[in-house]
Amino acid sequence: QVQLVESGGGLVQAGGSLKLSCAASGRTFSNYAMGWFRQAPGKEREFVAALRWSGGSTYYADSVKGRFTISRDNAKKMVYLQMDSLKPEDTAVYYCAADPSLGRLNQGLSVAWGQGTQVTVSS
């Protein structure tokens, strides 16, 4: 089983930055896709960003392109989400996700999810 624990959320003013971290443990991840999702109050959970542990391309929702950066540290089994130029509409609970399939992850069908971390952006 894969276990994921997010951290780094908080309250920030619009235009500010936050860096979220996701610590992964459990089975090996060499072929897994990792990603971030978010869910705002009253809205469905939505895809934010994704990558593969093995490297290659990164993927972003249009709403965060150019502002958010997903990265990983394989040795530490950590995935990060650097969020810059934050906007009030970025306010949400952010979840880390993992799945052997990037396609399934992008559809929100991951086998593993973290508990979420709250990000609040004030105007």
Side-chain angles (χ1 to χ4, degrees):
Q1 292 291 335
V2 174
Q3 293 84 41
L4 304 172
V5 178
E6 304 96 335
S7 61
L11 173 64
V12 65
Q13 288 188 332
S17 298
L18 278 176
K19 186 174 184 177
L20 305 183
S21 299
C22 174
S25 61
R27 62 178 299 169
T28 58
F29 300 90
S30 59
N31 295 318
Y32 268 58
M34 301 292 296
W36 290 93
F37 286 74
R38 66 187 182 185
Q39 186 167 20
K43 296 187 177 181
E44 293 187 355
R45 187 163 53 190
E46 65 175 1
F47 169 79
V48 175
L51 50 65
R52 290 189 176 92
W53 278 112
S54 57
S57 299
T58 52
Y59 307 88
Y60 297 95
D62 288 343
S63 58
V64 306
K65 278 181 183 177
R67 301 188 298 121
F68 290 12
T69 303
I70 187 172
S71 62
R72 73 196 190 285
D73 184 328
N74 288 14
K76 295 181 179 179
K77 289 189 175 180
M78 296 289 293
V79 177
Y80 306 99
L81 185 68
Q82 177 67 44
M83 306 185 295
D84 299 317
S85 302
L86 282 161
K87 305 175 181 180
E89 51 263 45
D90 294 318
T91 295
V93 177
Y94 283 71
Y95 297 91
C96 182
D99 197 277
S101 165
L102 180 61
R104 198 160 54 226
L105 183 142
N106 287 349
Q107 295 178 57
L109 302 175
S110 298
V111 296
W113 294 89
Q115 82 289 351
T117 185
Q118 176 70 48
V119 172
T120 303
V121 184
S122 63
S123 57

